[in-house]
């Protein structure tokens, strides 16, 4: 048995012992944290980030900019792409195998068989690990929703952030955008500044309603600060002045907006030394966030691609995320025309029609696949039917390799064209599988 297998076995046991179904309450996590000595109350200043899309990217920007100042940063994100360890970063480094195993076992022992979900018990382990390592800041990503998310036990965050709110996780949060925004706004705390990313008007009204009731200092994208691309540069502007910066390492106009949210958060958190101009610039240049419009360069799947093809990977899985990615692909198309092919796999719980519709008129063809190892995945045939209903030319593939080989065959028939641009998309689970085999 390898050391990695030990943590896998522990996590599998936690999944089997506790309900996987999400039940949004805070009683269980608070009970367990109290039994552990409330480690969440012994943390460095916390930046708490919620939203439907862009929250993981904002967390990556926060971490990169803080670390560029020489600060030590704990970070929590979810879900992971390849290994669970990605969810817990201690003072800059992923949690080690031995510490992860020991912490999970300790938390399970203290829980003593009481009802709890997988996310809650692993969140408790995350807080416990954070409390045992010195750091200068914590970047904490919400798992689902806000008000009743297991991360929403921080009493006095240094900053709260709400990224764009859209329709996702409808089975838990409902189909009403204002209601979802109110749930996300549950992380807002009296006395903690709030940064709000780009929002639809109905979502913004719901967020600002809670912020007004709590009288928190609020900074809204497009009103109190802005970030945009100008002449191949990124321009950030707020009441304190303007920054002329190189474009972020992460690709796409939406990443300029995500970077702007992080800059606003650091400049308005009221923490001396956070958000210096030099650290912001270095953070933009060095930020890493796998599976978000990531260019792939090697691996078996890349070897099977058409000669000269660009292969991109993105884990976005809802219509709002698809719109951001399609805009980014359209921008790439303006700089260099290539026929666009999609390899798409999605879960049954997602709005596949809304997701794929964002690529109508942009993608030449869609190859649909079942996500390996995911029982909740749509079948390739079912997703093919949805793609056709969304107005896209499509065909099902047996697996990722077969999908790529079918694209090779199609591009060989189009002699004289530029090599294709291939986007693998539709699910973080699919992105994780691709990175595990081609990262």
């Amino acid at each position: 048995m390898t050391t990695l297998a030990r943590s896998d076995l522990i996590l599998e046991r936690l999944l089997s012992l506790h309900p996987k179904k999400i039940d949004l309450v805070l009683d269980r996590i608070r009970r367990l944290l109290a039994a552990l000595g409330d480690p969440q109350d012994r943390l460095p200043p916390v930046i708490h980030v919620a939203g439907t899309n862009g929250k993981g990217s904002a967390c990556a920007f926060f971490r990169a900019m803080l670390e560029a100042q020489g600060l030590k940063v704990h970070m929590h994100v979810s879900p992971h792409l390849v290994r669970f360890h990605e969810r817990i970063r201690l003072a800059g480094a992923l949690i080690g195998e031995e510490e992860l195993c020991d912490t999970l076992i300790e938390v399970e022992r203290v829980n003593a068989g009481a009802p709890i979900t997988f996310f809650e018990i692993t969140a408790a382990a995350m807080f416990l690990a954070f409390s045992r390592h010195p750091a200068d800041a914590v970047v904490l990503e919400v798992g689902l929703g806000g008000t009743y998310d297991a991360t929403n036990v921080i009493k006095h965050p240094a900053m709260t952030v709400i990224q764009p709110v859209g329709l996702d996780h409808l089975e838990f949060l409902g189909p009403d955008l204002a209601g979802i925004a109110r749930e996300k706004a549950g992380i807002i705390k009296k006395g903690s500044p709030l940064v709000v990313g780009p929002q639809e008007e109905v979502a913004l009204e719901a967020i600002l309603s809670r912020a007004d009731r709590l009288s928190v200092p609020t900074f809204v994208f497009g009103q109190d600060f802005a970030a945009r691309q100008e002449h191949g540069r990124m321009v950030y502007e707020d009441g304190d002045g303007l920054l002329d910066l190189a474009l972020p390492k992460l690709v796409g106009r939406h990443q300029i907006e995500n970077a702007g949210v992080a800059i606003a958060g650091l400049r308005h958190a009221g923490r001396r030394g956070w958000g210096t101009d030099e650290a912001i610039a270095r953070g933009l240049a060095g930020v890493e966030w796998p599976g978000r419009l990531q260019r792939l360069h090697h691996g078996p799947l890349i070897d099977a691609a058409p000669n000269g093809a660009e292969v991109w990977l993105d884990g976005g899985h809802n219509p709002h995320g698809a719109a951001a990615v399609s805009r980014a692909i359209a921008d790439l198309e303006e700089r260099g025309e290539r026929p666009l092919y999609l390899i798409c796999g999605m879960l049954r719980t997602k709005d596949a029609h809304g997701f794929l519709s964002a690529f109508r008129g942009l993608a030449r063809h869609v190859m649909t696949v079942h996500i390996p190892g995911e029982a909740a995945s749509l079948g390739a045939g079912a997703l093919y039917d949805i793609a056709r209903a969304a107005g896209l030319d499509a065909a099902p593939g047996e697996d990722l390799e077969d999908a790529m080989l079918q694209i090779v065959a199609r591009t060989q028939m189009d002699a004289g064209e530029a090599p294709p641009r291939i986007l693998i998309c539709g699910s973080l689970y699919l992105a994780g599988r691709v990175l595990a085999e081609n990262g």
Side-chain angles (χ1 to χ4, degrees):
M1 181 187 302
T2 65
T3 54
L4 178 59
R6 183 175 174 233
S7 64
D8 289 341
L9 290 172
I10 295 169
L11 291 164
E12 287 176 8
R13 185 174 72 244
L14 294 178
L15 275 170
S16 66
L17 290 176
H18 306 294
K20 190 175 183 180
K21 185 178 187 300
I22 300 171
D23 178 15
L24 298 178
V25 296
L26 289 178
D27 297 348
R28 294 183 298 265
I29 183 72
R30 284 177 171 155
R31 169 192 52 74
L32 178 54
L33 289 170
L36 291 165
D38 286 316
Q40 79 282 2
D41 294 338
R42 304 193 303 275
L43 301 182
V46 174
I47 300 171
H48 199 190
V49 184
T52 304
N53 291 292
K55 59 183 184 292
S57 295
C59 287
F61 280 117
F62 275 122
R63 176 193 157 218
M65 293 175 189
L66 288 168
E67 289 184 342
Q69 297 173 219
L71 301 178
K72 293 182 178 180
V73 182
H74 295 331
M75 187 165 78
H76 167 264
V77 297
S78 70
H80 59 279
L81 290 176
V82 181
R83 302 175 68 206
F84 183 90
H85 305 63
E86 298 164 27
R87 300 189 184 208
I88 303 174
R89 190 174 288 271
L90 302 174
L94 296 182
I95 189 169
E97 170 71 7
E98 183 176 356
E99 182 169 7
L100 175 60
C101 292
D102 291 347
T103 307
L104 289 172
I105 290 170
E106 179 181 354
V107 171
E108 184 182 18
R109 176 183 56 78
V110 171
N111 188 60
I116 199 159
T117 67
F118 178 82
F119 185 78
E120 289 165 349
I121 199 167
T122 54
M126 171 267 295
F127 284 126
L128 188 60
F130 282 175
S131 72
R132 290 172 171 172
H133 291 263
D136 301 297
V138 174
V139 179
L140 184 65
E141 182 186 0
V142 167
L144 174 63
T147 302
Y148 297 109
D149 185 75
T151 65
N152 198 27
V153 292
I154 303 299
K155 297 175 183 175
H156 304 293
M159 168 65 67
T160 56
V161 177
I162 301 180
Q163 281 283 70
V165 175
L167 298 176
D168 200 5
H169 300 295
L170 304 186
E171 67 274 32
F172 304 112
L173 302 179
D176 173 51
L177 188 62
I180 294 174
R182 284 191 291 271
E183 174 68 18
K184 308 283 187 185
I187 71 165
I188 301 171
K189 303 294 191 302
K190 189 173 183 63
S192 299
L194 168 68
V195 167
V196 184
Q199 304 290 345
E200 294 187 34
E201 189 62 31
V202 65
L204 181 60
E205 289 178 1
I207 294 166
L208 294 184
S209 175
R210 176 172 172 83
D212 289 343
R213 289 198 304 273
L214 296 177
S215 300
V216 302
T218 303
F219 306 90
V220 178
F221 186 97
Q223 298 180 17
D224 304 294
F225 69 96
R228 60 189 180 273
Q229 181 175 338
E230 284 187 6
H231 309 298
R233 304 276 293 176
M234 173 178 165
V235 175
Y236 171 87
E237 188 173 9
D238 64 15
D240 294 333
L242 182 147
L243 297 177
D244 180 17
L245 302 157
L247 290 175
K249 186 177 178 181
L250 302 183
V251 177
R253 278 182 276 173
H254 58 297
Q255 296 295 6
I256 293 174
E257 296 173 351
N258 293 334
V261 166
I263 294 170
L266 294 181
R267 282 164 72 103
H268 298 294
R271 299 283 167 171
R272 179 175 294 180
W274 282 18
T276 66
D277 293 355
E278 296 80 6
I280 288 169
R282 289 197 300 273
L284 291 176
V287 64
E288 299 282 352
W289 195 229
R292 280 70 174 183
L293 209 53
Q294 176 184 356
R295 177 83 180 270
L296 301 180
H297 295 283
H298 55 81
L301 197 60
I302 312 309
D303 294 340
N307 290 334
E310 290 181 6
V311 181
W312 297 80
L313 177 68
D314 191 87
H317 47 264
N318 56 50
H320 188 278
V325 173
S326 66
R327 286 194 301 268
I329 293 292
D331 290 342
L332 290 175
E333 183 71 7
E334 288 185 4
R335 296 199 290 271
E337 292 186 6
R338 291 172 177 257
L340 175 65
Y341 291 79
L342 304 186
I343 299 177
C344 184
M346 298 192 72
L347 299 183
R348 291 192 299 269
T349 54
K350 303 303 178 182
D351 179 4
H353 188 279
F355 180 91
L356 288 166
S357 294
F359 296 94
R360 188 186 301 121
L362 184 63
R364 174 173 295 185
H365 185 77
V366 181
M367 291 299 310
T368 61
V369 295
H370 177 271
I371 303 172
E374 287 299 323
S377 173
L378 280 164
L383 189 54
Y384 158 78
D385 290 339
I386 294 171
R388 296 284 293 173
L392 293 161
D393 185 59
E398 293 182 6
D399 52 29
L400 286 165
E401 183 180 5
D402 177 61
M404 189 65 79
L405 292 176
Q406 288 197 47
I407 292 173
V408 170
R410 287 176 174 274
T411 57
Q412 287 175 344
M413 293 186 294
D414 298 322
E417 280 196 324
R421 180 172 288 122
I422 301 168
L423 174 64
I424 305 170
C425 60
S427 172
L428 283 170
Y429 297 99
L430 180 64
R433 178 56 65 99
V434 170
L435 287 177
E437 299 176 357
N438 302 271

